[in-house]
Amino acid sequence: MNINSTVISGFQALNDLSYLLQGKEKALLVTDKNIEGIPAVQTLIAQLKQQIASLSIVNTVPPEPSQHDVAAIVAALPSTDVDLVIGVGGGSVLDVAKLLSILCVEGAPTLEALLAGEKPQTRTTSLLIPTTAGTGSEATPNAILAIPEKETKVGIISPVMLPDYVALVPELTTSMPPHIASSTGIDALCHLIECFTATVSNPVSDNYALIGMKKLFASLETTIAEPDNLEARLNMLWASYYGGASIAHAGTHLVHAMSYPLGGKYHLPHGVANAILLAPCMRFVRPAAVSKFAQAYDLLPDADTSLDDEAKSHALVAYFAALVKRLKLPASLEELGIGPDHLPYLVEAALDVQRLMKNVPMKVGADDVRNVYLTLFPALNH
């Protein structure tokens, strides 16, 4: 799979998009109401209105959208006849924009057909602009939708969804509240470390993962401490992009498989679900990934490179646990009101995500998944 997108990046990279907009007459901007209010986005909308004859704005994308939300958005569109789809927002917004870039093509498969596995052949021109540094949706061939009837999430996956253009613009991420910057940053970290250790990892995905982790380790906590540090913000956008590129060439595994039911049934934000699971899942896979963990550990700004690989691998897991704590993210399901009586459901639902479970670098059975979930109920462990 190739990443065919043209990436523009840097402070004020949106100030002159006229060369991208030439010849475009009907555009659809996909966002949410919060993002729409950001000054830089208002400037972008003004620029689009100046240059494009017809601009429709969809600002109703909810967090963690379901297939019903997307169907409602499509039904409410004044027209699906557009020659440019622009997504501005977090992962949910970008996923919906990717789907709309396919659904706004005459003769395209319906959303139901896409969910049933039909592969799209083409899409309209697309530009994706992330406002969080986490999902890397702008670099993945995936669109994730909640399926409320089944209390889970599914991915519609096709390289056709990769956009023509991506803009990584640090000033768009400065309005993220600290807890969002933290949880989306951990989501990016999960993408990087999971793809790096997956059974389907390869030199291309490894290269993206190593570059991304180096940027993330150096910048994530800086963006929380110094919200207006645009250099750190841009580094996080690139770390997130490289996480998405890693997914496009490899795939996530245990953290994501186990977090899907937490998002699908209990509506935990995706980054929060991943943060809770990061250290416990990595502790479980560590024995199968010692040398990869050691390589990742060496990228930490204060890594002790005199340790042997085994010690480095343990130190990386300890770093993950401490990082989630420092970022003030939840470390247990109990503090989120989810009790151990939900264990049977969680175990079954996680094992059901075979698309990701097959990427885990060791054999995983129901008892293993149950034991990892059990660590999220500290009251049971005393």
Side-chain angles (χ1 to χ4, degrees), residues 64-65 92 95 99 142-146 153-157 260 355:
E64 322 280 335
S92 296
D95 281 6
L99 287 170
N142 310 352
I144 308 298
L145 291 179
K153 295 182 171 186
V154 299
I156 294 171
I157 300 166
Y260 272 6
R355 175 175 71 85

Side-chain angles (χ1 to χ4, degrees), residues 64-83:
E64 322 280 335
S66 72
Q67 86 273 37
H68 307 300
D69 295 319
V70 177
I73 287 168
V74 173
L77 288 177
S79 162
T80 54
D81 176 22
V82 297
D83 51 19

Side-chain angles (χ1 to χ4, degrees), residues 6-8 13-14 16-24 47-48 51-52 83-84 86 125-129 164-167:
T6 299
V7 183
I8 55 177
L14 292 179
D16 180 24
L17 286 181
S18 52
Y19 64 100
L20 292 187
L21 305 176
Q22 276 167 359
K24 304 296 180 201
Q47 190 185 155
L48 292 170
Q51 205 172 333
I52 291 177
D83 51 19
L84 175 64
I86 303 163
T125 304
S126 63
L127 161 64
L128 298 183
I129 308 169
D164 298 275
Y165 306 105
V166 171

Side-chain angles (χ1 to χ4, degrees), residues 14-359:
L14 292 179
N15 280 12
D16 180 24
L17 286 181
S18 52
Y19 64 100
L20 292 187
L21 305 176
Q22 276 167 359
K24 304 296 180 201
E25 291 174 6
K26 298 173 183 170
L28 174 63
L29 179 75
V30 185
T31 188
D32 66 37
K33 288 190 175 67
N34 289 337
I35 301 296
E36 194 181 9
I38 296 173
V41 176
Q42 285 293 310
T43 305
L44 169 66
I45 291 170
Q47 190 185 155
L48 292 170
K49 284 179 173 167
Q50 206 173 349
Q51 205 172 333
I52 291 177
S54 163
L55 175 68
S56 305
I57 298 178
V58 169
N59 62 7
T60 52
V61 179
E64 322 280 335
S66 72
Q67 86 273 37
H68 307 300
D69 295 319
V70 177
I73 287 168
V74 173
L77 288 177
S79 162
T80 54
D81 176 22
V82 297
D83 51 19
L84 175 64
V85 172
I86 303 163
V88 187
S92 296
V93 165
L94 299 187
D95 281 6
V96 171
K98 288 194 287 194
L99 287 170
L100 291 174
S101 73
I102 285 170
L103 297 168
C104 285
V105 172
E106 200 173 336
T110 61
L111 182 59
E112 289 77 16
L114 292 173
L115 282 165
E118 188 176 334
K119 294 298 179 194
Q121 302 305 311
T122 184
R123 61 162 166 74
T124 193
T125 304
S126 63
L127 161 64
L128 298 183
I129 308 169
T131 58
T132 62
T135 67
S137 175
E138 67 282 358
T140 75
N142 310 352
I144 308 298
L145 291 179
I147 309 294
E149 294 79 1
K150 295 184 179 171
E151 298 184 327
T152 189
K153 295 182 171 186
V154 299
I156 294 171
I157 300 166
S158 166
V160 171
M161 284 196 284
L162 289 167
D164 298 275
Y165 306 105
V166 171
L168 303 179
V169 186
E171 62 270 27
L172 283 185
T173 69
T174 56
S175 59
M176 263 193 297
H179 71 280
I180 302 286
S182 298
S183 64
T184 54
I186 293 290
D187 188 23
L189 175 53
C190 290
H191 296 159
L192 293 160
I193 191 67
E194 286 180 88
C195 289
F196 188 52
T197 53
T199 54
V200 287
S201 70
N202 56 74
V204 175
S205 62
D206 283 359
N207 194 33
Y208 287 136
L210 288 165
I211 297 170
M213 282 189 283
K214 188 172 174 68
K215 289 182 179 297
L216 186 143
F217 292 149
S219 304
L220 173 55
E221 291 185 86
T222 308
T223 63
I224 311 299
E226 306 168 26
D228 294 318
N229 184 323
L230 292 179
E231 186 184 357
R233 292 275 176 189
L234 185 58
N235 269 330
M236 277 305 299
L237 279 166
W238 273 111
S240 174
Y241 182 85
Y242 281 121
S246 301
I247 291 174
H249 289 82
T252 56
H253 54 81
L254 195 58
V255 175
H256 274 72
M258 292 181 64
S259 80
Y260 272 6
L262 293 174
K265 185 177 174 77
Y266 309 100
H267 309 297
L268 284 193
H270 179 62
V272 172
N274 284 351
I276 291 173
L277 285 158
L278 173 60
C281 287
M282 290 301 125
R283 195 171 289 119
F284 172 75
V285 302
R286 184 203 63 79
V290 169
S291 68
K292 284 275 181 94
F293 272 32
Q295 278 178 271
Y297 171 80
D298 283 340
L299 300 172
L300 293 173
D302 57 352
D304 177 357
T305 50
S306 69
L307 299 175
D308 65 13
D309 280 7
E310 182 75 13
K312 285 177 181 176
S313 71
H314 282 289
L316 184 71
V317 175
Y319 168 82
F320 289 154
L323 176 65
V324 169
K325 201 169 183 175
R326 285 199 300 275
L327 293 176
K328 299 184 174 65
L329 290 164
S332 80
L333 289 177
E334 280 165 332
E335 60 190 277
L336 296 166
I338 300 169
D341 51 319
H342 295 276
L343 268 170
Y345 163 76
L346 288 169
V347 172
E348 188 183 349
L351 286 170
D352 221 24
V353 190
Q354 274 305 307
R355 175 175 71 85
L356 303 182
M357 280 294 186
K358 69 179 194 301
N359 298 341

